[in-house]
Amino acid sequence: MAVNYFKKIGARRLLIMIMGNVFLGMGISIFKLSGLGNDPFSGMVMALANILGFSYASFLLVINGGLFIFELAAGRRLIGIGTLVNAFLHGLWPLLFPVPDTMLLRVVTVLVGVIVTSFGVSLYQTPNAGVAPYDSISLITAKSRPLIPYFWHRIATDAVCAVICFLAGGIIGLGTLVSAFGLGPIVHFFNVQVAGRLVKDC
């Protein structure tokens, strides 16, 4: 069964998905290095975990578990090997980048991190080899509302996380805002211009 599953995905799509997760892990590392705020989802989880008295890691498991149930119910087609790769690969990415020591470099770091993260999200989502529970939300809502471009769905989910993070007393920085309103459009751009072309006819 596993052999048939991987044959169905295809080596090319599998490779694109893995490379997407590599870029995604790199982008998150660069983004966090700026020190100008976490991405909306991570910020929300940290803030809620602090209020409820959980550690970040344990509460993240709870949140992802709940989102996975939603993904299983509303978007089972989005579950696959990519879901597991996304969950485990990012923590293995070593921090190989120098710490920016000026505000200008920190802002540039945020912008580079958001672009690289968006590129990674696009590459790992497009092959349909499985996505993380949180990322599945915007894909599920985009499928149910096809007249609304994907990037608005992504902006909506990131913005909701940013608002919850703020209301829960979490830190909202420049990086959080850029991530909340920038990921959607940039991911959409890479979907059309890069990832969509890479997986075409494969």
Side-chain angles (χ1 to χ4, degrees), residues 2 8 12 30 34 50 52-53 55 58 60-61 93 120 124 127 131 137 139 152 157 168 184 187 192 200-201:
K8 183 179 179 180
R12 184 175 170 184
I30 296 172
S34 70
N50 185 56
L52 298 173
S55 68
S58 59
L60 180 61
L61 288 175
W93 186 262
Y124 107 84
V131 301
I137 298 175
L139 293 172
W152 287 114
T157 57
V187 170
V192 175
K200 188 177 181 180
D201 302 323

Side-chain angles (χ1 to χ4, degrees), residues 42-59:
S42 297
M44 178 192 72
V45 174
M46 289 179 186
L48 291 176
N50 185 56
I51 287 179
L52 298 173
F54 286 87
S55 68
Y56 170 76
S58 59
F59 194 65

Side-chain angles (χ1 to χ4, degrees), residues 116-137:
V116 175
T117 298
S118 299
F119 183 62
V121 169
S122 178
L123 283 186
Y124 107 84
Q125 286 184 354
T126 304
N128 295 321
V131 301
Y134 174 68
D135 293 326
S136 74
I137 298 175

Side-chain angles (χ1 to χ4, degrees), residues 73-134:
R76 186 170 297 185
R77 63 184 178 82
L78 298 173
I79 300 172
I81 184 63
T83 309
L84 296 176
V85 171
N86 181 271
F88 295 107
L89 186 61
H90 297 169
L92 300 177
W93 186 262
L95 192 59
L96 301 176
F97 309 100
V99 177
D101 55 2
T102 67
M103 179 55 71
L104 177 60
L105 287 178
R106 291 170 70 186
V107 171
V108 170
T109 300
V110 164
L111 297 177
V112 172
V114 168
I115 291 172
V116 175
T117 298
S118 299
F119 183 62
V121 169
S122 178
L123 283 186
Y124 107 84
Q125 286 184 354
T126 304
N128 295 321
V131 301
Y134 174 68

